Amino acid sequence: MTLLQRFSCLESIVTVQHFLTLDDLPPATLKLLIERSIDLKAQTKKGAIYEPLKNKSLAMIFSKSSTRTRVSFEVGMRQLGGGTLNLSPNDTQIGRGEPIEDTARVISSMVDGVMIRTDAHSKVETFAANSSVPVINGLTDDYHPCQLLADVQTFQELRGSIEGATIAWVGDGNNVCHSFMNAARIFNFTLRIATPEQFTPDSQITERNQSHIELSNDPKDVVAGADVVVTDTWASMGQESEKSERQEAFAGYCVDDQLMSLAHKDALFLHCLPAYRGKEVTDAVIEGKQSAVFQEAENRLHAQKALLEYLLS
Ligand code: CP
Ligand code: NVA
């Protein structure tokens, strides 16, 4: 390899576009992705064949369980003409301690994109820093940006622009909440967050999004008049041993009909799923007419197709 070729390889590593948090793409691009997702959804439902990623491969590394993320990326790639590789740490050398840096260099030399679901966010950052192809965050302990593309799309489909809306987060201030906080600043809506004292969101993420968020310890307070009520499991993946302690701490945070009745009369209920009925949400709310959770789940497919088309083609 000539020196020039080596420089251009280096250049491609430095300039490759990743999607680790919503902040990796400019707001205008994110808004276009939502539009594109709505468009791709309509085309797919009409039966149109559109295969811009023919012969392209997406490696999917799952260190945690998944239904929606796994199926939506797999089907999304297939519909766009490409294919996926399902890699779990146990089936690969990752589980035996091969460094992330080496794994990233090897896998990215053979595929066109990598989707990773793992625990520490620093792991996807390390992978991305050593990858010559786009890396997509399919959920870490800190963020879930793909979920927010689907959530914003769902609001837009049902209620129009999310700009200026008031959204009430009731529950744990962790990964999905953090991405909601970033979305509030980027898409210009207000996010009112109610968490128990010990489960408030990360302070740096709070600081970064200060202008668009309000913190509280009172679910009723944040839900009053809101356009959307959103929640998530009280015990995320990796926190299973804290389940009973968390259930006690989150008493009073279940989204039930009484809480929903305080929101705007047309308020939507969202949840990234999987949901635990009778814990963070009642069966009546999730099955009720304000619930958009299954449209939200389906939109993972369409939103990620728009993302894959943008990053990989
Ligand atoms: N919402 C979401 O990411 O679901 P999965 O854990 O099933 O992928
Ligand atoms: N907060 C949840 C989201 C699952 C999609 C978790 O991390 O398990």
Side-chain angles (χ1 to χ4, degrees), residues 65-70 117 138-139 144 147 237 272-274 300:
S65 306
S66 168
T67 297
R68 280 142 288 268
T69 306
R70 187 186 301 276
R117 168 169 286 196
L139 181 134
H144 198 1
Q147 183 66 50
M237 288 179 276
C272 63
L273 304 180
R300 293 291 304 279

Side-chain angles (χ1 to χ4, degrees), residues 47-283:
I49 305 291
Y50 175 61
E51 298 184 324
L53 302 186
K54 217 169 177 63
N55 297 321
K56 302 237 178 189
S57 301
L58 178 77
M60 309 200 298
I61 303 174
F62 282 101
S63 304
K64 290 177 176 174
S65 306
S66 168
T67 297
R68 280 142 288 268
T69 306
R70 187 186 301 276
V71 175
S72 53
F73 272 109
E74 170 110 31
V75 173
M77 274 304 285
R78 208 179 293 178
Q79 289 183 357
L80 292 169
T84 54
L85 294 85
N86 244 299
L87 307 172
S88 86
N90 291 343
D91 307 328
T92 59
Q93 302 289 4
I94 301 168
R96 294 182 61 253
E98 183 166 12
I100 295 174
E101 290 86 342
D102 293 358
T103 307
R105 286 168 69 180
V106 173
I107 293 179
S108 70
S109 72
M110 300 183 197
V111 302
D112 305 283
V114 182
M115 191 289 308
I116 306 177
R117 168 169 286 196
T118 189
D119 41 25
H121 190 73
S122 59
K123 291 186 184 171
V124 293
E125 289 178 330
T126 303
F127 197 107
N130 292 277
S131 172
S132 55
V133 298
V135 175
I136 299 170
N137 177 3
L139 181 134
T140 61
D141 287 348
D142 291 343
Y143 296 102
H144 198 1
C146 293
Q147 183 66 50
L148 262 292
L149 295 180
D151 290 8
V152 173
Q153 176 182 344
T154 306
F155 184 92
Q156 195 164 312
E157 286 173 336
L158 295 168
R159 297 287 184 268
S161 170
I162 201 165
E163 189 165 344
T166 298
I167 299 194
W169 177 275
V170 178
D172 194 7
N174 80 336
N175 46 16
V176 179
C177 180
H178 290 158
S179 285
F180 248 106
M181 292 161 77
N182 283 346
R185 168 177 40 83
I186 291 167
F187 292 97
N188 197 20
F189 60 82
T190 299
L191 185 67
R192 298 192 204 137
I193 303 167
T195 67
E197 203 66 67
Q198 63 273 44
F199 297 111
T200 51
D202 175 87
S203 57
Q204 280 183 354
I205 301 172
T206 300
E207 204 172 308
R208 184 162 8 112
N209 298 302
Q210 200 86 59
S211 55
H212 289 77
I213 61 170
E214 295 167 21
L215 298 184
S216 165
N217 305 120
D218 183 354
K220 292 194 185 83
D221 205 32
V222 299
V223 165
D227 302 302
V228 176
V229 179
V230 57
T231 188
D232 185 12
T233 179
W234 293 338
S236 285
M237 288 179 276
Q239 299 169 340
E240 288 78 5
S241 64
E242 301 168 25
K243 219 171 200 162
S244 57
E245 171 200 325
R246 282 171 168 267
Q247 275 177 27
E248 266 177 47
F250 283 99
Y253 280 76
C254 177
V255 180
D256 57 14
D257 283 328
Q258 211 182 340
L259 196 59
M260 281 304 290
S261 72
L262 303 176
H264 190 280
K265 66 174 179 25
D266 294 328
L268 297 173
F269 173 73
L270 295 180
H271 189 311
C272 63
L273 304 180
Y276 298 89
R277 295 164 194 232
K279 300 286 189 295
E280 75 273 12
V281 59
T282 60
D283 190 54

